[in-house]
């Protein structure tokens, strides 16, 4: 669990998956036409160049409308028998391999937000699955009613599991700059006689309590320094039990077996 890395702070946000207009295309005929029939229904995933509808042009010739890219049909705007044109579309096709997610950030966290930061989201239906993305938009003004700042992330969605309109829980990862620290999970640190220590594994059943100094910390991890090296194994789960055993045995040498 010892790592050399920039200290990363996370704060939670809640948001909703939105349609990304830049990744949506409205499918229209090149000229005025009448829809003869559609082979694909709303909500279907289609491949590039797949036929969607048969149409009859104004000159009597028949043709078809094809998907310009892989995507999901998210809207059907005309039915068989209706007249369509270059300005009256038949379908809206969305590339949902990535989706936009809008979040509202509280004013106290607004100064931590920067474009390009990593965002991780979880859907309400599967909190164990993590989807990663990046911040692509930060509103230039606060909402005066809610005192929140609107931000937007684009999140990977190759499995098409994240649906438009879903409510999601997210985490924004805020790094403490480029400085690299030796870090440990916060639960690995125990306090003994007013000093911060971690338990380092020295053998099958042998552990040593090493005093460390906390340079900085987040809710999850701490940047530390002391007589400790990145390749050493630090106890995370069970560190409190080791502390208790050490205090019970009143060992003055800092070792617990």
């Amino acid at each position: 669990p010892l790592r050399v890395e920039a200290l990363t702070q996370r704060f939670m946000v809640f948001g909703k998956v939105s349609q990304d207009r830049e990744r949506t295309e409205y499918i229209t005929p090149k000229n005025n036409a009448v829809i003869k029939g559609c082979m694909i229904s709303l909500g279907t995933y289609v491949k590039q160049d797949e036929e969607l509808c048969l149409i009859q042009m104004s000159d009597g010739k028949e043709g078809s409308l094809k998907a310009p890219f892989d995507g999901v049909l998210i809207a059907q705007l005309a039915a068989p028998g209706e007249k369509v044109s270059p300005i009256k579309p038949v379908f809206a096709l969305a590339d949902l391999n990535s989706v936009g997610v809008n979040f509202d950030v509280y004013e106290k966290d607004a100064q931590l937000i920067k474009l390009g930061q990593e965002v991780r989201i979880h859907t309400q239906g599967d909190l164990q699955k993590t989807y990663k993305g990046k911040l692509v938009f930060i509103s230039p003004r606060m909402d005066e009613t809610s005192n929140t700042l609107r931000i937007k992330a684009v999140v990977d969605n190759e499995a098409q599991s994240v649906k438009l309109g879903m409510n999601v829980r997210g985490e924004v990862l805020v790094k403490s700059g480029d400085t690299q620290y030796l870090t440990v999970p916060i639960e690995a640190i125990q306090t003994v006689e007013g000093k911060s220590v971690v338990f380092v594994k020295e053998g099958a059943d042998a552990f040593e309590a090493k005093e460390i100094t906390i340079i900085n910390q987040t809710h999850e991890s701490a940047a530390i320094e002391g007589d400790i090296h990145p390749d050493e194994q630090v106890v995370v789960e069970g560190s409190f039990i080791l502390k208790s055993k050490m205090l019970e045995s009143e060992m003055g040498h800092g070792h617990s077996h």
Side-chain angles (χ1 to χ4, degrees):
L2 275 173
R3 292 182 174 183
V4 177
E5 61 184 358
L7 198 62
T8 301
Q9 179 180 349
R10 304 165 188 241
F11 64 89
M12 192 176 295
V13 287
F14 295 90
K16 185 181 285 286
V17 181
S18 63
Q19 180 183 343
D20 191 341
R21 293 180 181 177
E22 293 180 1
R23 302 176 72 85
T24 302
E25 186 165 327
Y26 291 93
I27 299 172
T28 63
K30 293 181 179 180
N31 299 297
N32 294 343
V34 174
I35 303 175
K36 302 293 288 182
C38 293
M39 294 80 80
I40 305 295
S41 57
L42 189 62
T44 303
Y45 180 84
V46 296
K47 303 289 286 184
Q48 183 176 356
D49 292 330
E50 187 173 341
E51 286 194 345
L52 308 177
C53 287
L54 296 176
I55 57 173
Q56 185 171 23
M57 311 299 287
S58 54
D59 60 6
K61 293 181 180 178
E62 292 190 349
S64 63
L65 294 178
K66 297 181 180 181
F69 52 80
D70 296 357
V72 177
L73 297 173
I74 61 170
Q76 183 168 354
L77 306 167
E82 289 189 42
K83 293 180 179 179
V84 289
S85 70
I87 59 172
K88 186 180 179 182
V90 181
F91 285 112
L93 179 67
D95 176 2
L96 299 181
N97 287 321
S98 62
V99 291
V101 185
N102 292 320
F103 300 101
D104 292 317
V105 177
Y106 290 115
E107 188 172 358
K108 65 180 179 64
D109 297 321
Q111 74 276 7
L112 300 173
I113 296 294
K114 293 180 181 177
L115 289 175
Q117 285 173 328
E118 184 178 345
V119 175
R120 298 176 182 177
I121 72 162
H122 309 272
T123 63
Q124 302 292 338
D126 186 2
L127 294 176
Q128 302 303 315
K129 174 71 174 176
T130 300
Y131 302 88
K132 296 181 180 180
K134 290 188 180 298
L135 281 183
V136 297
F137 170 77
I138 301 172
S139 174
R141 65 180 296 165
M142 299 288 296
D143 185 295
E144 297 177 3
T145 304
S146 62
N147 286 325
T148 58
L149 183 71
R150 173 59 60 95
I151 63 174
K152 180 181 178 180
V154 172
V155 176
D156 292 336
N157 186 37
E158 287 190 12
Q160 311 281 314
S161 301
V162 181
K163 308 300 183 183
L164 298 178
M166 271 187 172
N167 293 308
V168 298
R169 188 183 76 187
E171 295 174 326
V172 180
L173 278 59
V174 182
K175 292 190 176 181
S176 59
D178 296 326
T179 306
Q180 300 287 300
Y181 297 101
L182 189 63
T183 67
V184 293
I186 206 77
E187 57 265 35
I189 301 173
Q190 299 295 329
T191 303
V192 178
E193 297 178 353
K195 297 177 180 179
S196 297
V197 302
V198 294
F199 288 92
V200 176
K201 189 171 184 179
E202 291 202 319
D205 295 305
F207 305 89
E208 180 182 358
K210 289 195 173 185
E211 183 180 344
I212 51 101
T213 301
I214 299 175
I215 305 169
N216 200 351
Q217 70 182 72
T218 68
H219 295 301
E220 296 182 343
S221 60
I224 63 171
E225 59 183 9
D227 183 21
I228 191 167
H229 304 285
D231 55 352
E232 292 183 297
Q233 289 186 312
V234 169
V235 177
V236 181
E237 294 181 10
S239 61
F240 181 77
I241 296 173
L242 289 176
K243 171 188 170 179
S244 301
K245 287 183 177 180
M246 188 182 80
L247 294 176
E248 286 174 8
S249 61
E250 297 181 352
M251 296 181 68
H253 300 294
H255 282 74
S256 176
H257 295 268

